[in-house]
Amino acid sequence: MSEKKIIFIDVDGTLLNYENKLPASAREAIRQARKRGHRVYICTGRSEAEVYPEIWEIGLDGMIGGNGAYVKDGDTVVMHQMYTPEQCRHVVDWLHEHGLEFYLECNSGLYASEHFEERGNPTIKEYVARKGRDASDATVRTIFPDMIYGADLYRDDVNKISFILNSYQDHLDSIREFPDLKPGTWGGKGEIALFGDLGVKDIDKGHAIDVLLDYLGASIEDTFAFGDAKVDIPMLEKCAVGVAVGSGGEEIKAMADYVTDAVDDDGLYNAFKHFNLI
């Protein structure tokens, strides 16, 4: 077992709070850990276009994106699994036919459907409110400041597609319609979910970690994972030590090896101290 560890950190709700704010203590924890020779990667559902300069400026060794579809070490893309153009066309046409607003998640940007902002504003307010935050100023533009409107939605560089659920039945219908993709939901558990998503089949954060470790020639014994949500569970199960933040969901806290404080209560920094990473 090496003294140098490999640390995987989810972004939304773990590194950042639910208002997209980065606690200064989290930035400091990562910088100190890397000074000690540990490697730090974000492991997120976001595509690379959603990893804004503020996050990269912390200093990171790379990223796992698209919930495991994309693996990057430094400037080297280790793996990138995307939709085929035919799959993209099928999903876009189906969402249009069902009156569902959506956005394409690509490394080049986020591409919104025609009425996503109008339909999305109340949904985003609900999403932020459910996290116990003041949602009065929450809009699509505050959460997705670089969203692209009016672009061609038939693309060949799609990692994932998220769509606003008019009802939970939309998610159930997507499971039947797209056996070649990986349907999920976010923004709430079960029937109160706010969004559906469709990812590349047979990928998750745990599998992507295997791919990266194989590339690095590193051992799973030297890994830490930090997360807050159900989608992070494969990552915590995979790594030697799995840490849930105190502001996370009950399901991940129940299975974690350790539960640290909430994001805004210096949870990341305190966990790094607890495990002598800094």
Side-chain angles (χ1 to χ4, degrees):
M1 188 180 299
S2 169
E3 290 183 5
K4 307 302 184 189
K5 304 303 180 184
I6 303 173
I7 302 165
F8 299 97
I9 306 172
D10 170 59
V11 173
D12 296 286
T14 305
L15 177 62
L16 306 182
N17 67 20
Y18 292 110
E19 293 165 331
N20 265 338
K21 299 292 191 299
L22 172 67
S25 62
R27 180 189 294 109
E28 182 62 22
I30 292 171
R31 288 179 174 170
Q32 286 190 31
R34 293 187 74 235
K35 279 184 181 177
R36 292 186 58 173
H38 305 305
R39 301 179 71 87
V40 180
Y41 297 83
I42 53 172
C43 192
T44 175
R46 295 186 183 209
S47 295
E48 194 166 23
E50 299 170 89
V51 183
Y52 303 120
E54 179 191 23
I55 298 174
W56 286 120
E57 286 163 5
I58 300 168
L60 297 168
D61 291 284
M63 70 174 290
I64 291 170
N67 284 333
Y70 180 68
V71 179
K72 186 177 183 180
D73 175 60
D75 293 327
T76 301
V77 176
V78 179
M79 179 183 77
H80 194 183
Q81 296 177 261
M82 292 177 284
Y83 276 47
T84 66
E86 293 75 22
Q87 286 174 321
C88 179
R89 183 176 289 271
H90 183 189
V91 174
V92 167
D93 288 349
W94 185 83
L95 291 169
H96 276 141
E97 288 165 10
H98 287 75
L100 299 170
E101 299 300 325
F102 60 93
Y103 63 96
L104 313 182
E105 302 180 41
C106 310
N107 284 1
S108 58
L110 303 181
Y111 300 90
S113 61
E114 291 79 354
H115 305 293
F116 180 80
E117 184 173 14
E118 176 188 346
R119 174 67 179 83
N121 280 330
T123 308
I124 289 297
K125 286 187 186 299
E126 177 65 20
Y127 175 70
V128 172
R130 286 182 183 181
K131 303 298 183 182
R133 302 289 176 184
D134 178 7
S136 56
D137 295 327
T139 65
V140 167
R141 289 190 183 261
T142 62
I143 300 297
F144 302 111
D146 297 325
M147 187 77 81
I148 298 164
Y149 299 89
D152 184 0
L153 299 175
Y154 294 146
R155 302 187 61 85
D156 62 2
D157 62 345
V158 174
N159 300 322
K160 187 156 64 86
I161 296 178
S162 287
F163 58 96
I164 300 170
L165 295 169
N166 290 336
S167 74
Y168 190 68
Q169 187 62 44
D170 297 325
H171 166 61
L172 299 179
D173 291 345
S174 77
I175 295 173
R176 283 191 292 272
E177 183 70 19
F178 303 106
D180 56 330
L181 294 170
K182 182 178 181 178
T185 61
W186 56 278
K189 188 175 181 180
E191 295 197 5
I192 67 164
L194 297 171
F195 289 86
D197 63 26
L198 292 159
V200 178
K201 201 171 179 67
D202 299 326
I203 60 100
D204 62 31
K205 292 184 177 186
H207 172 253
I209 287 170
D210 277 337
V211 170
L212 179 58
L213 294 179
D214 184 61
Y215 171 78
L216 296 173
S219 169
I220 199 73
E221 294 179 341
D222 296 321
T223 55
F224 282 77
F226 292 79
D228 76 304
K230 186 176 179 180
V231 72
D232 300 318
I233 289 176
M235 174 172 69
L236 269 66
E237 288 176 337
K238 173 65 63 175
C239 290
V241 179
V243 180
V245 294
S247 43
E250 295 307 315
E251 197 169 356
I252 193 168
K253 288 193 282 189
M255 60 76 60
D257 298 308
Y258 181 76
V259 178
T260 187
D261 300 302
V263 179
D264 288 326
D265 295 330
D266 304 322
L268 209 63
Y269 184 91
N270 293 341
F272 275 38
K273 289 284 285 186
H274 174 82
F275 287 105
N276 296 314
L277 297 168
I278 57 176

